[in-house]
């Protein structure tokens, strides 16, 4: 018989060591967005809960924003960048088919011997990537993983599209995940319904754009009511499954950090879960808009920064969006 393959020892768990974020300097009010879509500050606030959002500068890239958030998370974790052995970047707005944003980020941040890959699961991307990080640390394949959610959605918006122009924003959030004797990240519950792929998509593919002279550049397009119905009908059930998988109840939670899709969707999920009063609900969407894969770590960092949550408490993360992909897990707060 040929030689057997040996494996590293497995670990009991992984945990969030730190969080960091980056919000671009430019702030757009609803009044600035409303003109081209014949809308109003009042309508946008009422339908989405959004008051302002950040847009990146023209020369500010997805990797620039990821670097800013990732550097803060690594510094807060108290480790050297060179001890990061895997960089996962959740994004759908890195404007290169290849190479990955993660490869460039690993180089620029000083994670010189890290594996690097992008995770394209839209608004569920951060939770998907966190699930991967936890599994790889538990199997012994990785020790310190930098997980970044970052989007520059402003590059892919049609500011004349009434259905999407007012919802999205730019930003980055990052966490460092490391080994732990006690599990600090619960089992990930994830899935996707590709049968509804047209609910949030692009106006056309790059090849269609190339082959149709005069066509406009591909931008995001969303069937708002379809997405709303799906999120309100399904995401509460995904949250319950994540709580059950981690063996905890809603009463045990200190915070709920859902993807910041729309304040009305958050309210509906909170009602369906019957979350107790003491659970802090992340409502970062008000001043950040919907930043897709970046929204959960951005919202988490806001809760930590403002002292609304304490280290060691339990939080439930749930991401959901294009795909229609979803992902959830219970975590111990850094
Ligand atoms: N500003 C002002 N009025 C608007 C508008 C806008 N941006 N968009 C639509 N309207 C008007 C319509 O013309 C319509 O008017 P009418 O009743 O006089 O015909 C009315 O508002 C309702 O239009 P509808 O398209 O049914 O809007 P809606 O109630 O579904 O709200 C969304 C639109 C996008 C706010 C809503 O569908 C939604 O929140 N969807 C979920 C989106 C989301 O969270 N996506 C992120 C997922 S990751």
């Amino acid at each position: 018989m040929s030689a057997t393959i040996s494996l590293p020892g497995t670990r009991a768990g992984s945990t969030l060591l730190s969080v960091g974020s980056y919000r671009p300097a430019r702030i757009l009010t609803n009044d600035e967005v409303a003109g081209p879509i014949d809308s109003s500050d009042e309508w946008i606030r009422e339908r989405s809960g959004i008051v302002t959002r950040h847009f990146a500068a023209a020369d500010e890239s997805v990797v620039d924003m990821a670097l800013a958030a990732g550097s803060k998370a690594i510094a807060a974790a108290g480790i050297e960048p060179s001890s990061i052995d895997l960089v996962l970047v959740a994004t759908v707005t890195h404007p290169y088919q290849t190479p990955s944003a993660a490869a460039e980020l690993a180089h620029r941040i000083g994670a010189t011997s890290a594996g690097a890959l992008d995770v394209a699961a839209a608004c569920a991307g951060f939770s998907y990537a966190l699930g991967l990080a936890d599994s790889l640390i538990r199997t012994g394949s990785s020790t310190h993983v930098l997980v970044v959610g970052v989007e520059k959605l402003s590059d892919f918006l049609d500011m004349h599209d009434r259905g999407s122009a007012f919802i999205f924003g730019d930003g980055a959030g990052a966490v460092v995940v490391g080994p732990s004797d006690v599990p600090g990240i619960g089992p990930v519950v994830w899935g996707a319904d590709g049968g509804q792929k047209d609910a949030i998509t692009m106006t056309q593919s790059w090849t269609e754009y190339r082959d149709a002279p005069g066509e406009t550049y591909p931008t995001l397009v969303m069937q708002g009511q379809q997405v709303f119905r799906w999120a309100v009908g399904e995401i509460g059930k995904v949250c319950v499954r994540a709580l059950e998988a981690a063996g905890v109840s809603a009463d045990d939670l200190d915070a709920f950090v859902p993807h910041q899709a729309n304040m009305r969707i958050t309210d509906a999920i909170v009602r369906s879960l019957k979350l107790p009063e003491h659970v802090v609900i992340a409502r970062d969407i008000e001043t950040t808009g919907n930043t897709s894969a970046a929204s959960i770590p951005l919202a988490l960092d806001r809760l930590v920064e403002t002292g609304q949550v304490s280290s060691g408490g339990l939080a439930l993360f749930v991401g959901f969006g294009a795909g229609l992909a979803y992902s959830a897990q219970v975590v111990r707060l850094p």
Side-chain angles (χ1 to χ4, degrees):
M1 196 177 117
S2 62
T4 54
I5 295 172
S6 58
L7 293 172
T10 57
R11 297 192 178 101
S14 78
T15 198
L16 297 178
L17 298 178
S18 62
V19 58
S21 70
Y22 173 74
R23 297 167 201 271
R26 184 173 169 218
I27 295 173
L28 256 83
T29 64
N30 286 341
D31 285 333
E32 287 172 88
V33 174
I37 54 172
D38 187 22
S39 191
S40 66
D41 175 46
E42 189 190 359
W43 192 94
I44 296 171
R45 281 181 197 236
E46 194 211 297
R47 295 298 174 110
S48 69
I50 299 167
V51 177
T52 54
R53 75 285 288 142
H54 296 253
F55 270 17
D59 62 353
E60 198 168 32
S61 74
V62 158
V63 179
D64 293 337
M65 292 193 283
L67 179 65
S71 302
K72 286 184 198 165
I74 291 173
I79 61 168
E80 289 302 317
S82 55
S83 59
I84 297 284
D85 51 19
L86 180 64
V87 174
L88 298 175
V89 176
T91 187
V92 288
T93 49
H94 177 54
Y96 287 83
Q97 213 81 41
T98 196
S100 67
E104 187 185 334
L105 175 63
H107 168 72
R108 289 177 61 187
I109 216 162
T112 43
S113 53
L117 75 145
D118 291 357
V119 176
C123 308
F126 178 78
S127 174
Y128 261 81
L130 192 58
L132 293 174
D134 169 56
S135 297
L136 290 167
I137 291 171
R138 282 195 282 116
T139 58
S141 297
S142 301
T143 301
H144 288 111
V145 184
L146 177 65
V147 181
V148 184
V150 55
E151 303 289 3
K152 189 177 178 186
L153 285 148
S154 59
D155 272 347
F156 297 95
L157 291 181
D158 172 358
M159 295 311 286
H160 289 86
D161 177 25
R162 293 188 107 192
S164 62
F166 62 94
I167 289 185
F168 297 104
D170 301 336
V175 295
V176 174
V177 189
S180 170
D181 294 339
V182 182
I185 298 181
V188 67
V189 169
W190 60 24
D193 177 6
Q196 297 195 68
K197 72 180 178 61
D198 294 331
I200 309 176
T201 184
M202 305 296 290
T203 46
Q204 60 186 336
S205 70
W206 292 112
T207 47
E208 285 164 337
Y209 175 56
R210 179 197 62 196
D211 296 339
E215 280 289 312
T216 52
Y217 174 84
T219 50
L220 262 173
V221 59
M222 179 172 66
Q223 304 304 320
Q225 290 196 4
Q226 184 182 346
V227 176
F228 194 92
R229 272 198 306 273
W230 169 76
V232 168
E234 299 303 320
I235 300 308
K237 293 181 228 166
V238 175
C239 291
V240 170
R241 285 170 53 204
L243 289 171
E244 285 171 359
V248 303
S249 75
D251 285 342
D252 298 319
L253 291 177
D254 294 275
F256 177 48
V257 189
H259 164 51
Q260 304 288 291
N262 181 312
M263 198 75 89
R264 289 191 301 147
I265 292 177
T266 296
D267 289 339
I269 298 172
V270 167
R271 275 196 302 275
S272 79
L273 287 174
K274 299 188 173 59
L275 290 180
E277 283 287 304
H278 73 263
V279 178
V280 176
I281 314 294
R283 296 189 181 282
D284 189 41
I285 191 168
E286 188 177 348
T287 53
T288 308
N290 176 337
T291 54
S292 191
S295 85
I296 292 176
L298 273 165
L300 173 67
D301 197 39
R302 180 84 83 192
L303 293 183
V304 171
E305 220 173 48
T306 54
Q308 291 178 74
V309 294
S310 309
S311 174
L314 289 180
L316 172 63
F317 291 172
V318 63
F320 52 92
L324 291 173
Y326 56 84
S327 180
Q329 65 266 97
V330 173
V331 305
R332 202 162 282 289
L333 290 161

